[in-house]
């Protein structure tokens, strides 16, 4: 016992002096010692566990925490702190079933409703696609800390995915209203409006984000222009959203972007720009649909040779119904 106590004191001193390598070596020596008691091994595992967490070495942290926790010999504060840390690390490692088991063990053994443990349990259940159970765990976690937007967002999504859209929307509105500067909270609210088929409200949220400079990713602008593109009479808004996103270097100009622009320009009677964007979309398409639309536009403009060239490209890329392209190719004129 005296020898074990001396080794543990030395281990703590090494840890306090930030000598990470020596701390881990000493801890490993104690843990591997057949003569060391379970208590000594559990105590020895704690300093390197915290060092591994700080170093973001999840595998090592989980290994050391497992030694300490599974010995089931530490005092309650140490034991339950480590148990909750293990659950959180298992979430980070995407070992959701193990995280759920650790969180449940914490809650069952402490007979508590610790908000952090409930939030971790809810997160694990969400990742396991057990959404109704996730919502049940997350409700008290959110109630305990209503300022935690991340928990509110996870609860809202769990509710939405478990068929409780109205409750999900109320939670999302609370999260966004209390955190106007939190981009994720605002985006989640927009998604909830979309899921509840309230696209106009979703656009209002995204436009507020746009004015606040919160549309910083490709998916942000893509969501906004897609909503506009699916609404009648919003061609100019579609065009403006796309052009702004592209000019900022945020929105990637791909097939869907060019087609949305082409359609919006066409329906707003800007035919040349529609032709320009269908021309850009054509090579990027999985089939010849964009080329066929281009061919039809060119035919309408009496640019028959160009229309025929586009129709041939449409056939070359493949069409479910090639007859329309063939009719254009059969038009008189070169």
């Amino acid at each position: 016992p005296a020898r074990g106590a001396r080794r543990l004191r030395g281990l703590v001193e090494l840890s306090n002096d930030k000598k990470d390598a020596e701390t881990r070596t000493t801890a490993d020596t104690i843990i591997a010692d057949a003569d060391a008691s379970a208590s000594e091994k559990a105590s020895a595992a704690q300093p390197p566990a915290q060092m591994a967490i700080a170093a973001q070495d999840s595998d090592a942290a989980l290994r050391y925490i497992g030694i300490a926790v599974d010995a089931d010999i530490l005092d309650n504060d140490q034991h339950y702190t480590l148990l909750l840390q293990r659950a959180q690390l298992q979430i980070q490692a995407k070992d959701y079933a193990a995280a759920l088991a650790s969180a449940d063990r914490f809650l069952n053994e402490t007979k508590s409703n610790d908000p952090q443990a409930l939030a971790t349990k809810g997160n694990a259940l969400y990742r396991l696609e057990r959404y109704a159970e996730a919502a049940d765990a997350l409700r008290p976690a959110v109630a305990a800390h209503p300022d935690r937007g991340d928990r509110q967002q996870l609860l809202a999504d769990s509710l939405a995915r478990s068929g409780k859209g109205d409750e999900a929307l109320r939670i999302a509105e609370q999260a966004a209203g209390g955190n106007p500067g939190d981009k994720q909270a605002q985006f989640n609210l927009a998604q909830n409006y979309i899921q509840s088929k309230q696209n106009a409200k979703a656009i209002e949220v995204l436009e507020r984000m746009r004015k606040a400079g919160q549309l910083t990713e490709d998916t942000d602008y893509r969501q906004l222009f897609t909503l506009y593109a699916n609404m009648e009479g919003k061609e100019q808004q579609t065009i403006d959203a796309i052009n702004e996103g592209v000019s900022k270097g945020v929105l990637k100009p791909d097939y869907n972007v060019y087609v949305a622009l082409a359609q919006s320009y066409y329906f707003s009677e800007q035919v040349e720009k529609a032709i320009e964007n269908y021309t850009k979309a054509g090579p990027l398409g999985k089939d010849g649909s964009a080329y066929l639309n281009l061919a039809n536009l060119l035919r309408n403009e009496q640019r028959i040779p160009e229309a025929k060239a586009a129709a041939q490209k449409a056939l070359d890329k493949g069409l479910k119904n090639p007859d329309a392209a063939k009719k254009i190719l059969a038009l008189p004129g070169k």
Side-chain angles (χ1 to χ4, degrees):
R3 176 172 173 267
R6 285 196 302 273
R7 288 200 296 183
L8 287 174
R9 282 197 299 272
L11 177 64
V12 171
E13 289 174 3
L14 289 169
S15 175
N16 290 339
D17 290 340
K18 310 293 185 185
K19 296 181 178 179
D20 292 11
E22 293 94 327
T23 298
R24 185 174 290 195
T25 299
T26 302
D28 288 343
T29 300
I30 296 171
I31 291 166
D33 188 348
D35 294 329
S37 68
S39 177
E40 290 168 0
K41 292 181 180 183
S43 296
Q46 292 183 76
Q50 300 310 312
M51 288 180 171
I53 290 172
Q56 298 184 333
D57 185 350
S58 296
D59 290 342
L62 285 167
R63 184 172 69 254
Y64 286 118
I65 289 175
I67 293 167
V69 166
D70 294 340
D72 203 14
I73 204 167
L74 298 173
D75 66 51
N76 283 348
D77 285 346
Q78 293 173 317
H79 177 79
Y80 293 126
T81 296
L82 289 169
L83 188 56
L84 190 51
Q85 283 182 325
R86 178 163 74 174
Q88 293 164 343
L89 286 167
Q90 286 164 333
I91 288 283
Q92 294 174 20
K94 299 183 180 181
D95 191 352
Y96 304 124
L100 177 59
S102 294
D104 271 336
R105 181 177 171 186
F106 177 97
L107 292 164
N108 291 334
E109 290 184 10
T110 61
K111 296 183 173 20
S112 74
N113 288 314
D114 181 85
Q116 183 61 60
L118 287 167
T120 303
K121 177 179 179 176
N123 195 350
L125 287 164
Y126 176 87
R127 306 299 169 184
L128 292 168
E129 300 182 3
R130 294 162 60 178
Y131 301 117
E133 294 171 83
D136 289 340
L138 288 163
R139 280 193 189 93
V142 168
H145 294 286
D147 57 323
R148 288 291 300 269
D150 56 335
R151 293 180 187 175
Q152 288 180 317
Q153 292 157 25
L154 194 60
L155 173 57
D157 203 34
S158 298
L159 289 165
R161 291 173 183 269
S162 58
K164 297 182 178 179
D166 291 344
E167 187 180 356
L169 187 53
R170 286 197 300 273
I171 295 293
E173 287 174 335
Q174 290 171 5
N179 300 279
D182 185 333
K183 172 187 170 178
Q184 193 58 52
Q186 304 305 314
F187 197 76
N188 284 351
L189 176 58
Q191 294 302 310
N192 273 273
Y193 280 134
I194 292 169
Q195 289 170 8
S196 62
K197 302 187 187 306
Q198 299 183 61
N199 288 355
K201 286 189 174 182
I203 286 175
E204 287 179 12
V205 174
L206 291 168
E207 282 292 0
R208 286 200 301 270
M209 293 176 67
R210 182 181 176 187
K211 291 176 182 176
Q214 291 178 326
L215 301 188
T216 57
E217 299 178 41
D218 179 274
T219 51
D220 302 339
Y221 272 100
R222 199 169 293 273
Q223 183 68 85
L224 179 59
F225 88 69
T226 300
L227 285 169
Y228 276 135
N230 288 321
M231 297 177 73
E232 188 175 349
K234 298 295 183 180
E235 290 82 14
Q236 192 57 52
Q237 289 88 339
T238 304
I239 293 165
D240 291 344
I242 291 175
N243 286 339
E244 179 180 290
V246 171
S247 68
K248 288 184 174 180
V250 176
L251 180 62
K252 179 183 176 182
D254 60 8
Y255 176 81
N256 291 326
V257 167
Y258 289 132
V259 167
L261 273 176
Q263 291 173 341
S264 296
Y265 279 128
Y266 174 74
F267 287 113
S268 58
E269 299 182 1
Q270 301 180 67
V271 176
E272 283 303 318
K273 289 186 176 180
I275 289 171
E276 175 188 338
N277 281 280
Y278 274 131
T279 300
K280 292 177 180 177
L284 305 177
K286 293 180 180 179
D287 62 19
S289 299
Y291 275 128
L292 181 57
N293 286 331
L294 173 62
N296 285 322
L297 277 181
L298 291 166
R299 179 197 58 193
N300 293 344
E301 294 298 301
Q302 298 301 310
R303 292 159 61 174
I304 303 303
E306 293 172 81
K308 288 186 173 184
Q312 185 59 58
K313 288 179 180 179
L315 289 173
D316 292 343
K317 283 191 76 73
L319 292 167
K320 288 183 179 179
N321 182 2
D323 290 345
K326 290 178 180 178
K327 287 180 180 178
I328 292 174
L329 286 172
L331 290 171
K334 294 183 180 180

